[in-house]
Amino acid sequence: MSMKSASILLCALTASLTGCTGTPNRGLESVHQPVVSRADYVFDFASDGSAVNPDDTTRLSGWFDSLKIGYGDRISIDPNGAGDVSGARQIVGTLAARRGLLLEPAYPITQGQIPAGYVRVIVSRMTADVPGCPDQSRVDAVNYGNHMSSSYGCAVNTNLARMVADPLDLLEGRQSDGAGDSATSAKAIKTHRERANTGAGGLTSEKVSN
């Protein structure tokens, strides 16, 4: 038996100890990628369409505070329990606006039936994480295929998942609104370069009389 064959056999026999069958990273694109998940939180309160009980408004505001809603959260209303939700929509919209958010035009499907005469407020929150990191399954393995480390990509993708303000951007991205246009972004620099220096016209002289 050749030395190479013996090494492969030894690796197969001790796979549970050395991690020979660990996570393969066969290219420069890591198998460890951010996974985006969504959680929906619901709050039901009674509404006759045109008005909302002040106590429910206080409870809803406290519920928002307990969730610490902020950028990236999506607030919507499921009107299937009540007919007219114009009053409730105005109240919820006002509470959301105080926290820098707008109501979403569409709402997700949630579990549980909404009682008649009730309005359901839904807060959808997305999170991103990279499962299985750090991955030490092949740290001590014999690397005949010249693969990347089993933990390759964990650091940069975990940092990306934790730093992105809106995890949905990892899935859909955003359409350009012109902010990335080089001509637009260079306007300030162009103005600064073309503006005449303040001392180009010489020093001003003034006469002071007593």
Side-chain angles (χ1 to χ4, degrees):
M1 181 182 293
S2 64
M3 183 64 68
K4 181 176 181 180
S5 300
S7 298
I8 295 176
L9 178 60
L10 178 62
C11 183
L13 293 176
T14 59
S16 60
L17 297 178
T18 61
C20 295
T21 58
T23 304
N25 271 304
R26 296 187 174 90
L28 295 180
E29 184 176 2
S30 172
V31 298
H32 299 291
Q33 296 293 330
V35 176
V36 179
S37 57
R38 189 187 77 188
D40 294 328
Y41 305 91
V42 300
F43 182 94
D44 297 341
F45 64 93
S47 174
D48 61 1
S50 60
V52 177
N53 190 305
D55 292 338
D56 287 333
T57 302
T58 303
R59 289 174 51 232
L60 179 60
S61 179
W63 183 63
F64 281 165
D65 292 338
S66 67
L67 290 178
K68 298 181 180 180
I69 62 174
Y71 182 81
D73 293 333
R74 286 165 172 77
I75 303 177
S76 56
I77 292 178
D78 188 340
N80 291 326
D84 181 14
V85 294
S86 57
R89 183 174 295 276
Q90 182 177 1
I91 293 296
V92 176
T94 300
L95 294 178
R98 292 175 183 173
R99 294 159 176 83
L101 299 177
L102 299 175
L103 286 181
E104 296 290 323
Y107 59 89
I109 303 300
T110 55
Q111 296 182 351
Q113 184 176 1
I114 305 175
Y118 277 71
V119 176
R120 172 165 292 178
V121 179
I122 307 169
V123 174
S124 298
R125 175 170 295 170
M126 292 190 175
T127 57
D129 193 17
V130 182
C133 284
D135 185 351
Q136 308 296 333
S137 60
R138 271 194 314 108
V139 174
D140 298 326
V142 180
N143 190 3
Y144 289 114
N146 197 26
H147 298 164
M148 296 295 184
S149 165
S150 58
S151 196
Y152 172 72
C154 278
V156 63
N157 286 329
T158 299
N159 287 336
L160 174 64
R162 292 179 179 178
M163 287 166 43
V164 63
D166 188 354
L168 186 61
D169 292 343
L170 296 174
L171 298 178
E172 299 179 355
R174 298 196 182 189
Q175 295 182 352
S176 175
D177 56 358
D181 185 7
S182 59
T184 302
S185 58
K187 282 184 177 180
I189 299 176
K190 183 173 182 293
T191 302
H192 174 73
R193 289 178 175 176
E194 294 181 351
R195 183 168 181 173
N197 294 331
T198 55
L203 299 177
T204 58
S205 58
E206 296 182 0
K207 293 182 180 181
V208 180
S209 58
N210 293 330

